[in-house]
Amino acid sequence: MSKSLDLRCYFVTGQPVADVARIAAHAAAGGAGVIQVRSKPIAEPALERLACEVADAVAAANPRTRVLIDDNVPLAARLMRTHHIHGAHIGQDDMDPRAARELLGPNAILGLTTGTLALVEAANAYADVIDYVGAGPFRPTPTKDSGRTPLGLHAYPELVKLSRVPLVAIGDVTAEDAADLAATGVAGLAVVRGIMHADDPEIYCRELLSGFDEGAR
């Protein structure tokens, strides 16, 4: 499995679940480099079905797009053997990153949630086993209440400088934010509602990528 990783447009799935595989396929066709299968609360059998549906749809739409499973490392490790699934993303209260890496193997993608200078600094201790960190919320967002103060644009340059692995901004990020956030040095943008609710998710992802590349230049 190739470990190549394009984090610029990172789709985190949301509600309604019935639309997720279709939207994921359109996002992949639009150039999303990573799609994280997240749906909470959800029982493991339902998460497994959803992950397989997303993986199959994404593989058909754009085999270069990587598919990760949120939180459930054992499920990701198992499905990697049979489906277009490439790793997992874990939070601060989930499995220890070293244990997750051991279970997933050396070629899987592993991300970790952060969101403050202290959490990014702590994540640096795992730089040898994680591939990127998510950092947010950029703005307040209803999709996940972390309890952390929103970072705003100004906080990202310092977080990027501190982190020993690529850093992805998350938290009510939209395509309109892409250029400004890219200019801070982040490696990518994680988007939930913007893609889930887009009239055309493929076009939305292309616009986000265009803005990101403009800001990065």
Side-chain angles (χ1 to χ4, degrees), residues 134-204:
F138 170 54
R139 294 192 188 96
T141 171
T143 59
K144 185 174 183 180
D145 183 8
S146 66
R148 292 187 293 273
T149 301
L151 294 168
L153 195 66
H154 69 281
Y156 281 99
E158 188 174 8
L159 293 173
V160 168
K161 184 177 180 180
L162 178 63
S163 181
R164 292 176 55 196
V165 297
L167 186 143
V168 176
I170 187 170
D172 197 34
V173 174
T174 70
E176 289 73 23
D177 301 312
D180 289 340
L181 278 167
T184 71
V186 299
L189 310 177
V191 178
V192 185
R193 291 183 299 155
I195 296 174
M196 283 295 301
H197 298 164
D199 291 336
D200 189 325
E202 180 174 344
I203 291 176
Y204 190 94

Side-chain angles (χ1 to χ4, degrees), residues 10-95:
Y10 184 133
F11 174 37
V12 181
T13 68
Q15 303 292 337
V17 170
D19 291 338
V20 163
R22 175 186 63 82
I23 294 171
H26 284 294
V34 179
I35 294 175
Q36 179 191 137
V37 182
R38 185 175 85 183
S39 182
K40 296 179 178 179
I42 189 170
E44 182 161 329
L47 177 62
E48 179 170 350
R49 287 194 298 272
L50 178 62
C52 292
E53 290 171 4
V54 169
D56 292 347
V58 168
N62 184 357
R64 295 185 301 276
T65 299
R66 300 308 189 212
V67 179
L68 310 181
I69 296 178
D70 180 50
D71 289 355
N72 197 321
V73 174
L75 178 62
R78 178 161 57 83
L79 292 182
M80 281 171 58
R81 305 186 188 106
T82 57
H83 286 77
H84 185 77
I85 290 171
H86 306 89
H89 182 92
I90 56 176
Q92 289 292 317
D93 299 322
D94 299 322
M95 180 179 289

